[in-house]
Amino acid sequence: MTPTDDIFWKYLSPILDEQKADSGIVYSKMSDANGMDRIIGDSRSEDVYPGIFVMRPKYRGNIIDNALLNALFELTLFVFFKGDTDEHNSEDQAYRNAETVACKIVNRLQHDRFAGKNYLDFDSVTLEPVQYQTGVDATCGYELKARLGIPANHIFC
């Protein structure tokens, strides 16, 4: 078992999948630790927009009350929508859509925090507008970063 695959991704991927039905997201994957290589490769053979792309996270240990072991993940994900960068209304709509999805993800993480499913450090949450060019595709979106603690006793004990 690994914290990244068996804790982080098993916890996060269903939350991202909710956005498929709720927001029309068609793609959600985690990187292979080589930056954006995986989404660029996938864009050649499948529709990846609108999509959510998660960077394979760095993490560290975190202990609470000498009993609860957390894997404290440095979450970085991107929400991308196609937007015509030569057309302001299209570009602005893509940013609005991406920001809405990113905020829905933060909202879900925050609700899970209050239910004891994670230990989201809300002070670490940052949202930044980004533009990304993959070959011929120009996309607009938001980068979401946060520190996300997930219980890990079953792996580290």
Side-chain angles (χ1 to χ4, degrees):
M1 293 184 83
T2 68
T4 301
D5 292 330
D6 297 308
I7 298 175
F8 175 78
W9 193 242
K10 280 186 180 177
Y11 171 73
L12 189 62
S13 64
I15 293 170
L16 304 182
D17 287 344
E18 290 172 1
Q19 294 306 311
K20 290 180 178 178
D22 193 38
S23 303
I25 296 296
V26 299
Y27 176 92
S28 63
K29 286 195 180 168
M30 183 169 50
S31 79
D32 59 355
N34 283 319
M36 298 293 212
D37 291 355
R38 188 166 286 177
I39 192 171
I40 292 169
D42 288 348
S43 71
R44 294 182 193 121
S45 61
E46 64 183 288
D47 192 9
V48 298
Y49 307 111
I52 301 171
F53 191 68
V54 180
M55 300 304 286
R56 186 169 289 273
K58 172 177 95 171
Y59 62 91
R60 64 181 175 85
N62 173 249
I63 190 165
I64 298 174
D65 293 333
N66 290 323
L68 178 61
L69 304 178
N70 281 319
L72 188 57
F73 294 96
E74 298 292 331
L75 169 65
T76 302
L77 67 77
F78 297 89
V79 180
F80 291 125
F81 278 77
K82 277 190 177 178
D84 182 351
T85 55
D86 293 327
E87 213 289 300
H88 295 302
N89 289 335
S90 172
E91 186 178 57
D92 291 343
Q93 187 61 49
Y95 281 119
R96 273 191 295 279
N97 291 342
E99 185 178 13
T100 297
V101 170
C103 287
K104 286 179 181 180
I105 293 167
V106 171
N107 185 276
R108 171 61 193 279
L109 294 174
Q110 186 72 341
H111 280 278
D112 281 2
R113 175 179 166 254
F114 291 125
K117 296 178 183 177
N118 75 49
Y119 296 88
L120 175 67
D121 176 2
F122 192 77
D123 289 340
S124 72
V125 173
T126 60
L127 291 154
E128 180 178 351
V130 294
Q131 203 171 72
Y132 196 71
Q133 185 83 28
T134 58
V136 297
D137 295 324
T139 60
C140 302
Y142 266 79
E143 176 186 61
L144 165 61
K145 288 188 172 190
R147 282 188 302 276
L148 180 64
I150 303 175
N153 283 54
H154 64 287
I155 290 184
F156 292 117
C157 281

